[in-house]
Amino acid sequence: MNAVPHKNLKSFLTDAVRWNLRGGIAFQIFRIFLLFGMGFGIYAYSFQARFGLSVTGMNDIVSWGLYISNFTFLVGVAAAAVMLILPAYMFHDPGFHRVVIIGEGVAVGALVMCLSFIAVDLGGPLQAWHLIPGIGLFNFPSSILAWDVLVLNGYLLLNGLVPAYILYSHYMGRKADERKYRPFVFLSIFWAFSIHMVTAFLYQGLPARPFWNNPLMGPRFLASAFAAGPALIALILAIIHSTTDYKIDRKVFRKLRLIITISAIVNLIMLFSEIFKEFYFPTHHSSSAVYLFFGMDGHNSLVPWIWTSVIINLLATLVIAFNPGKDNPKVLLPACGFLFIAVWMEKGIGLIVPGLIPSPLGEVVDYLPTWVELGVTLGILCLGITVVTWLIRTALIIEQRYEGAD
Amino acid sequence: MKKQIIPFAIPGLSLLLMLLLTSFALANEKSFLDTIKKTVKPFDARSVKKVRPVTRKTVLALEEYRGGSFRVLARKQEIKRYKCSNCHGEKPVLVKQGFELTHGNVIINHGRAGNELSCIDCHSEDDRDFLEDKKGRKIDFDHSYKLCGQCHFRQKRDWLGGAHGKRVSNWAGERVIYNCASCHNPHSPRFSKRFPATYSVPLN
Amino acid sequence: MSSPKKNEKQTVIQDVLEKPSSRRSFLKGASIAMAAGSAALATGCMATGDTTTSEEMKLRWQEYFKKHYRLMTAEEKKETVKRLERLAKIQNDLDVQIGTDPPIENVLYGYAFNISRCEGFMECVAACVKENNLDRKTNTQYIRIFEMEPGKLDPSTGDGQFYHKVPVENKFYMGVQCFHCENAPCIKACPTKATWREPDGIVVVDYNWCIGCRYCQAACPYFGRRFNWSQGEVPKEELTTKQHYLGNRRRPKGKMEKCTFCIQRTRKGRLPACVEACPTGSRVFGNLLDPESEIRFVLEHKKVFRMKENIGTEPKFWYFID
C-alpha cells in the first residue's frame, strides 16, 4: 500500500503487470481459461494460414461471414463508450466520472477485437502494410474501408491515450490536467459517432446489395449500439460492484437503464420501419429480407436465428423499459444480457450474411461457419476479454489509491 | 448552457464533414459513351504490333466492309471431295446407288418443313464446281455468302457489319471473318443439340 | 522511439526495391535464420517442408517488398517478371513467360453478347478456364451462363447450373462475366488501390498488392469477382504458359481475381478466349474507339441493353437481340 519511492513510466508498467498477475484462485482459473481460448484460436488460425480461407465456411457468394459479423457488432460496443464519456466529461456527472474509465477499457478491448477480426478475415494479412500511408497506397477518400481503417485506429489511440494519461497522473499522485486532455475527449466523442457511422457506410454505400443500401442503416447502427454497449457495461459494472470493493453508485445503473431503454426502443422502431419497407410491397430488392425472415428456395438456416433475436430483443426491451422487478438487479441484469445477445445476433450474422444472399445473380446458398472460424472467433473474444480485464484491473487499483489519497 | 450544445453540435458537424468528403469521392464522371460517339476517325487496326497473322487459308471477300476490303476463311480446301468435276463431268454419273455411296452423309434439313431445299437449289447443275444463285450466276464455294444472302439477307447484313458470325483469332490486324459454311453445315444449318462443354459447379 | 526504427525499415525497403546490387549485399549480411523466417512469413507458409533454397528465399523476400504495379518503372517491371518466372521454375518446374504489354493507344475495349444466338454450349467457359489457368480444384469460373425462361431478362430468374442437352426449346441463354464497368464499384471500394481500370478500359487486379479483404466482391453488382480461397491448382500439362502480369499468371492464395478480357491476348490484338471459342458467334469484341469496329456496328445497328443500368456502373458489356 505504501507508495513506491520512485514512480515513473517504467514502474507504472511493471506495476500494471504485477497487479494483474496477482489474484484469487477463481481469478487465476478465469485467466487460464482465457489463455486456453487464445491458444485454441491460434491453433485454429494456423490452419487458415496454411490452407487459406477455404477452411472457413465462406465462399464466393457469402464472402463475408462470422468474422466481419463480429467486427460490425463490436464496432458498436466500442462506440457505445461515448454514452459514458458524454455525461462524464460534458455534463460532469460525478457517478459517471467514476466509471468512465471502465467504459473506455471496454472500448479498447472491443477495438482490439475489431482489428483482430479484420486481420484474420484478410486473405493476405502480411500484405496489410500496403495500407500504411506513405509506404503503401491508401485509397482515400474513395474507399470507405480506408476510412474505417483510419477511424478505428484513431479511436483506439484516443481511447487508449486519454485514459492512460489520466491514470498515469493519478498513479503519480497528481491531478490530471483537464486542459490537456479535454480537446481529445471532445475529439473522441466526435470519433465515436464516426466509427459506427463509417462502418455503416461501408455497407450502406454498396448499390450491389439492396439489403444494406439503406439510409437507415447508420442511425440504426447507433441506436442498437447505444442499447447493446451500455447493457454490456452495466453487466461489467455489476460484476465489478459485487466482486471488488470498488463500489458503484446505484444512480449510475439507473441512468444506464434510461440510456438503454431509449436506444432499444428507437432501435425497435427503426427495425419495424425496415420490415415494413421490405414486406409491404416486396420488390426484388427485398429478396435478402425474405431469405432472412422466411427462407428462400429451401434455404432457411437464418430463419430461426433472426426470429429468436427479434423475440429476445422485444422481451428484453420490455423488461428494461417497464422494470417489473422494481430495480431488482436479478431481473434487470439478465435482461441486459439478453438484449446484448439479441443485438449481437441481429447486428452480426443477421445483418452481414443475408446482405450477401441471394447473390447479385440470384443464387441462394446457406452459410455455416466451420470449426476454424468458431475457434478463431473464440480466441479473439478471449483476447478481448483479457485486454479488458487487464485494463480495468489496473485502472481500478490506481483509481482506488488515488481516491484514498484524496 | 453553451456547454450543453457542444456535445450535440460536434457529432452533427463531424457527420456533415464526412458527408462532404465522401461526396467528393462521388463526383460524377460524364458517360464514356459521349467520348465514343465523338470518335469518328478510324483506328488503324493494322498498326497494332504483335498481331499474329491468321494462318488459316483465306480469300479476299467480294463485298465491302464499311468501305474497305476484308477477308473470309476459304472453303474449298475443307470440302473433302472437291473438285466435284472429277466425277461430275460432261456426262451424268451413272453409278448404281452413287448418291448413297458418296453423298450418303448429306441430310438436307434446310428450308421450311415440307418445302426443303434440293441439291440444285444451291449447286449449279451445269458446273458442279460452283454454286448457283436464283438468277443463274455462278458462285465460288469460297464466296458462299453471296448465295446464302439471297434468303438470309438480314443475317448477311449483320455478318458484313460484324453482329453475326465472328472474326478469326484477332480483333486487330486485317479483318478476317468466318464464312457462312465455317460454322453452319449448309445442308443442315441449325446447330444440333448436344451436351454443354462444361458445367457450373453447384454453388452449395 | 519508433521513428528511427521506421526509417530504418523504410531504407531497407527502399534498398530492396531500388538497388539490385545493394539488395544483394544486404541479403548476404542478413542472417540465414532471419531470411528463412521472413520468407516463410512473406508467403504465408508454415514451413513448406521441402528444402527451400537460398535463391528462392531471396526472390520471395524481394517479391514481398515490391511496389504496386502502377508505380513500377519499366526496369522494375522487368525485374519482377524475371523473379516470377524464376520462382515458377524453382517451385513448380514451369517455364512461363509473363508479359507486361501496356495498353494500346486509342483503344477502349467493348463487348457485346447476342442473347438470341447463344445456345448454352458453354465452350466459352471451358476455354476461359483453360486460358486463364483457373483453379481446377474448386472449379473457379469467370463466366456464368444462365438458361432463361422466355419473358424474363433478369438472370436471377434463370438457371445457372444446367447440365442437359442444349439448346432447350423455348429457352434462351445469357452469359454473365465481369463487365469492366467504366464507373466500377469495385475500384472505388478497394482500400489499397489494388484494382483499377487501365486506359484501355480493362479492370485489373495487382495480385501481389491485394490484401484479400473482399470488399470489392461485396461491391460488385454482377458477381464478377472471384477469390482464391486456397492456392489454385492447374495440371502442369494444361497450363497456359503465355501469361500477363495482370492476367492469367499464378495467383497467390487469398487474392482476388477476375476476367481481364484475356489481357494477355487482347493487348496483342487477339480475341479473348471466350470469343474465339464461341461456336455460335454470340460474342462480339472490339475497339469502341474505332468507328469501323464490329462492336461499334452492334451498338449502332442493334437494339442493345446493359444489365442493371439503373445503378450507373456503365458496363462496357452490352446484350443485343438479332
Side-chain angles (χ1 to χ4, degrees):
Chain A
M1 283 296 151
N2 297 335
V4 186
H6 292 294
K7 281 185 173 179
N8 54 24
L9 192 65
K10 200 179 146 203
S11 71
F12 175 63
L13 294 174
T14 51
D15 276 350
V17 174
R18 215 154 41 82
W19 293 330
N20 267 294
L21 292 179
R22 283 204 308 245
I25 293 251
F27 191 63
Q28 297 299 352
I29 290 171
F30 178 59
R31 276 279 150 79
I32 287 168
F33 172 76
L34 290 179
L35 266 178
F36 175 77
M38 283 190 274
F40 185 67
I42 292 169
Y43 172 70
Y45 186 74
S46 72
F47 282 85
Q48 203 182 296
R50 201 182 309 163
F51 301 112
L53 284 160
S54 56
V55 294
T56 68
M58 293 183 271
N59 54 49
D60 276 328
I61 289 180
V62 189
S63 52
W64 279 340
L66 190 61
Y67 298 151
I68 297 294
S69 301
N70 278 307
F71 155 76
T72 311
F73 172 73
L74 288 166
V75 172
V77 175
V82 80
M83 283 290 120
L84 297 185
I85 297 173
L86 243 169
Y89 292 116
M90 291 294 165
F91 305 133
H92 298 285
D93 184 302
F96 273 62
H97 223 295
R98 277 192 79 228
V99 298
V100 67
I101 199 95
I102 295 164
E104 283 164 330
V106 171
V108 169
L111 282 167
V112 168
M113 286 191 268
C114 284
L115 294 171
S116 310
F117 274 118
I118 291 281
V120 297
D121 187 68
L122 291 183
L126 291 160
Q127 268 77 23
W129 66 269
H130 295 163
L131 284 167
I132 302 170
I135 312 177
L137 264 183
F138 210 45
N139 192 7
F140 190 84
S142 229
S143 171
I144 303 298
L145 200 58
W147 280 76
D148 219 19
V149 170
L150 221 63
V151 291
L152 285 181
N153 284 299
Y155 195 62
L156 180 60
L157 217 63
L158 280 173
N159 265 298
L161 287 184
V162 172
Y165 168 72
I166 295 172
L167 278 182
Y168 184 61
S169 302
H170 289 180
Y171 174 78
M172 300 297 278
R174 55 174 189 249
K175 206 170 181 302
D177 186 355
E178 207 180 319
R179 275 172 309 171
K180 277 189 192 157
Y181 69 78
R182 206 175 160 73
F184 294 102
V185 170
F186 271 105
L187 195 63
S188 84
I189 291 168
F190 142 73
W191 218 282
F193 286 92
S194 319
I195 60 165
H196 218 29
M197 283 304 257
V198 168
T199 307
F201 288 173
L202 194 73
Y203 307 106
Q204 195 175 323
L206 301 179
R209 310 286 172 182
F211 187 66
W212 295 340
N213 195 358
N214 159 10
L216 202 52
M217 183 168 269
R220 212 180 142 214
F221 262 39
L222 289 178
S224 62
F226 293 159
L232 177 71
I233 289 168
L235 284 174
I236 291 173
L237 290 183
I239 292 168
I240 290 168
H241 184 78
S242 58
T243 58
T244 70
D245 45 7
Y246 194 81
K247 294 302 169 200
I248 287 141
D249 200 346
R250 282 190 85 83
K251 272 192 212 153
V252 171
F253 286 103
R254 250 178 246 143
K255 281 175 192 158
L256 277 178
R257 194 194 126 218
L258 199 69
I259 293 170
I260 297 168
T261 311
I262 294 170
S263 308
I265 288 172
V266 172
N267 179 36
L268 281 178
I269 293 170
M270 291 185 184
L271 171 67
F272 289 129
S273 171
E274 277 182 353
I275 289 179
F276 173 80
K277 180 252 166 189
E278 303 283 19
F279 295 113
Y280 176 69
F281 196 102
T283 67
H284 64 272
H285 284 178
S286 310
S287 46
S288 287
V290 172
Y291 168 77
L292 176 62
F293 284 99
F294 302 108
M296 196 184 246
D297 297 354
H299 296 276
N300 51 13
S301 61
L302 283 181
V303 176
W305 179 268
I306 195 69
W307 285 111
T308 311
S309 158
V310 170
I311 289 164
I312 296 178
N313 197 339
L314 263 174
L315 292 179
T317 306
L318 286 176
V319 168
I320 295 171
F322 291 104
N323 196 5
K326 304 253 182 299
D327 278 347
N328 184 352
K330 280 186 184 145
V331 176
L332 282 182
L333 290 178
C336 282
F338 277 117
L339 182 67
F340 182 79
I341 290 169
V343 175
W344 173 76
M345 288 172 84
E346 200 226 318
K347 273 284 150 288
I349 299 267
L351 175 83
I352 302 306
V353 174
L356 300 160
I357 305 169
S359 82
L361 300 181
E363 275 120 346
V364 185
V365 299
D366 275 331
Y367 163 77
L368 206 69
T370 58
W371 75 267
V372 173
E373 276 170 291
L374 294 172
V376 172
T377 303
L378 175 76
I380 293 175
L381 290 180
C382 288
L383 171 72
I385 295 169
T386 308
V387 169
V388 172
T389 50
W390 275 65
L391 291 178
I392 290 179
R393 201 172 160 84
T394 311
L396 292 189
I397 290 172
I398 292 175
E399 287 298 295
Q400 253 175 326
R401 289 189 183 176
Y402 181 68
E403 278 174 13
D406 264 353
Chain B
M1 201 57 209
K2 219 177 175 185
K3 264 185 189 162
Q4 295 191 2
I5 298 168
I6 296 167
F8 301 103
I10 287 182
L13 273 175
S14 59
L15 286 177
L16 204 74
L17 186 81
M18 266 167 34
L19 286 173
L20 263 174
L21 279 167
T22 36
S23 62
F24 257 109
L26 286 166
N28 242 333
E29 294 153 47
K30 73 172 190 353
S31 173
F32 71 105
L33 287 168
D34 300 333
T35 329
I36 291 170
K37 234 183 268 166
K38 266 183 230 146
T39 46
V40 284
K41 215 179 89 197
F43 169 80
D44 183 9
R46 293 172 207 231
S47 70
V48 176
K49 284 168 215 147
K50 297 189 175 175
V51 180
R52 285 193 306 197
V54 174
T55 47
R56 294 162 76 174
K57 193 164 183 293
T58 61
V59 292
L60 199 65
L62 303 174
E63 310 252 354
E64 285 198 333
Y65 166 68
R66 299 201 168 192
S69 67
F70 67 99
R71 301 183 80 84
V72 292
L73 285 186
R75 171 70 180 159
K76 278 184 287 207
Q77 80 282 358
E78 309 275 328
I79 307 170
K80 277 190 205 116
R81 280 182 286 272
Y82 193 80
K83 284 179 133 187
C84 312
S85 55
N86 289 343
C87 302
H88 297 278
E90 299 284 309
K91 287 178 226 156
V93 185
L94 287 171
V95 181
K96 212 180 176 190
Q97 289 182 313
F99 180 80
E100 278 75 16
L101 282 173
T102 49
H103 302 307
N105 57 338
V106 174
I107 296 157
I108 294 181
N109 184 11
H110 194 167
R112 290 212 177 82
N115 194 15
E116 283 92 356
L117 300 179
S118 66
C119 310
I120 55 156
D121 279 327
C122 300
H123 291 277
S124 168
E125 208 172 356
D126 317 323
D127 189 346
R128 293 295 167 92
D129 289 337
F130 285 90
L131 302 164
E132 193 179 287
D133 70 7
K134 286 291 153 204
K135 286 179 182 160
R137 284 178 298 217
K138 276 187 200 168
I139 292 166
D140 193 284
F141 279 102
D142 284 341
H143 300 284
S144 52
Y145 49 88
K146 286 221 165 255
L147 180 88
C148 307
Q150 299 180 104
C151 303
H152 306 286
F153 51 90
R154 281 201 194 90
Q155 282 83 344
K156 190 186 169 193
R157 192 183 57 206
D158 284 348
W159 174 80
L160 278 173
H164 186 114
K166 59 179 193 170
R167 288 179 71 133
V168 182
S169 303
N170 301 322
W171 66 265
E174 190 182 20
R175 186 181 193 235
V176 183
I177 61 173
Y178 281 80
N179 216 326
C180 306
S182 319
C183 305
H184 298 280
N185 176 351
H187 302 123
S188 180
R190 265 193 190 288
F191 295 117
S192 53
K193 277 194 179 201
R194 60 176 162 99
F195 273 97
T198 181
Y199 61 96
S200 291
V201 282
L203 288 155
N204 207 10
Chain C
M1 200 183 127
S2 66
S3 67
K5 223 176 191 174
K6 202 173 170 185
N7 280 342
E8 193 184 294
K9 200 175 173 189
Q10 228 161 1
T11 49
V12 168
I13 293 166
Q14 268 166 4
D15 269 359
V16 173
L17 282 171
E18 281 161 15
K19 284 171 268 170
S21 55
S22 72
R23 188 190 302 144
R24 210 156 293 141
S25 52
F26 158 73
L27 275 152
K28 258 181 198 162
S31 72
I32 289 176
M34 182 191 163
S38 53
L41 265 174
T43 50
C45 283
M46 312 301 227
T48 41
D50 40 51
T51 47
T52 39
T53 61
S54 63
E55 186 197 3
E56 187 188 342
M57 281 189 281
K58 188 177 88 182
L59 292 174
R60 281 183 180 183
W61 173 263
Q62 291 165 355
E63 274 295 294
Y64 180 64
F65 283 112
K66 72 179 174 187
K67 284 187 204 164
H68 186 283
Y69 181 73
R70 277 202 287 183
L71 300 181
M72 287 183 197
T73 61
E75 189 61 34
E76 284 165 337
K77 282 180 188 169
K78 223 181 276 169
E79 277 174 28
T80 181
V81 161
K82 232 191 316 180
R83 286 198 296 265
L84 288 168
E85 288 173 350
R86 181 76 191 126
L87 275 171
K89 183 75 190 160
I90 300 174
Q91 291 173 334
N92 305 85
D93 192 30
L94 298 171
D95 294 295
V96 299
Q97 295 105 50
I98 301 173
T100 54
D101 296 286
I104 304 163
E105 290 235 2
N106 290 320
V107 171
L108 186 69
Y109 296 114
Y111 207 122
F113 186 97
N114 190 339
I115 50 172
S116 46
R117 285 279 154 215
C118 178
E119 315 249 44
F121 295 135
M122 294 190 69
E123 300 279 356
C124 50
V125 181
C128 171
V129 168
K130 172 85 182 60
E131 169 68 28
N132 290 301
N133 298 324
L134 297 187
D135 180 26
R136 308 293 204 275
K137 199 171 65 189
T138 58
N139 281 317
T140 304
Q141 292 169 350
Y142 291 161
I143 305 173
R144 308 218 53 211
I145 307 284
F146 286 84
E147 190 172 78
M148 306 283 296
E149 298 285 340
K152 288 178 176 178
L153 262 184
D154 181 358
S156 64
T157 61
D159 175 11
Q161 289 167 45
F162 62 90
Y163 190 69
H164 45 67
K165 280 198 172 176
V166 286
V168 173
E169 289 300 312
N170 231 341
K171 303 248 179 174
F172 72 96
Y173 297 85
M174 194 166 181
V176 183
Q177 61 201 72
C178 171
F179 293 161
H180 298 270
C181 306
E182 190 68 11
N183 191 12
C186 53
I187 296 174
K188 201 169 198 168
C190 179
T192 58
K193 298 190 186 178
T195 187
W196 69 94
R197 193 182 59 244
E198 287 272 285
D200 53 7
I202 304 179
V203 177
V204 292
V205 181
D206 182 341
Y207 307 124
N208 294 105
W209 199 260
C210 170
I211 59 171
C213 70
R214 309 191 292 294
Y215 192 27
C216 56
Q217 204 166 22
C220 176
Y222 304 108
F223 192 50
R225 296 184 150 247
R226 302 289 181 274
F227 188 66
N228 283 279
W229 297 95
S230 53
Q231 179 64 57
E233 281 174 17
V234 182
K236 201 175 161 186
E237 61 281 1
E238 287 179 30
L239 191 88
T240 306
T241 53
K242 287 220 171 9
Q243 304 177 348
H244 193 283
Y245 191 90
L246 301 172
N248 55 349
R249 73 176 164 104
R250 182 178 195 257
R251 276 81 66 180
K253 72 169 189 279
K255 303 304 168 85
M256 199 50 77
E257 61 174 278
K258 60 186 283 300
C259 157
T260 61
F261 277 167
C262 287
I263 197 166
Q264 64 280 358
R265 297 165 64 106
T266 44
R267 291 225 170 138
K268 289 182 173 144
R270 294 184 72 193
L271 290 168
C274 49
V275 180
E276 193 168 325
C278 179
T280 63
S282 310
R283 293 171 173 268
V284 180
F285 180 83
N287 181 5
L288 290 168
L289 297 182
D290 178 7
E292 293 184 354
S293 66
E294 285 85 354
I295 182 80
R296 284 283 290 269
F297 179 87
V298 170
L299 296 191
E300 281 154 28
H301 294 87
K302 294 282 159 188
K303 300 289 171 275
V304 299
F305 71 93
R306 292 183 285 180
M307 199 190 285
K308 298 189 187 177
E309 222 170 33
N310 55 338
I311 50 177
T313 46
E314 295 265 26
K316 284 194 277 298
F317 191 105
W318 288 266
Y319 293 97
F320 70 102
I321 302 155
D322 258 353

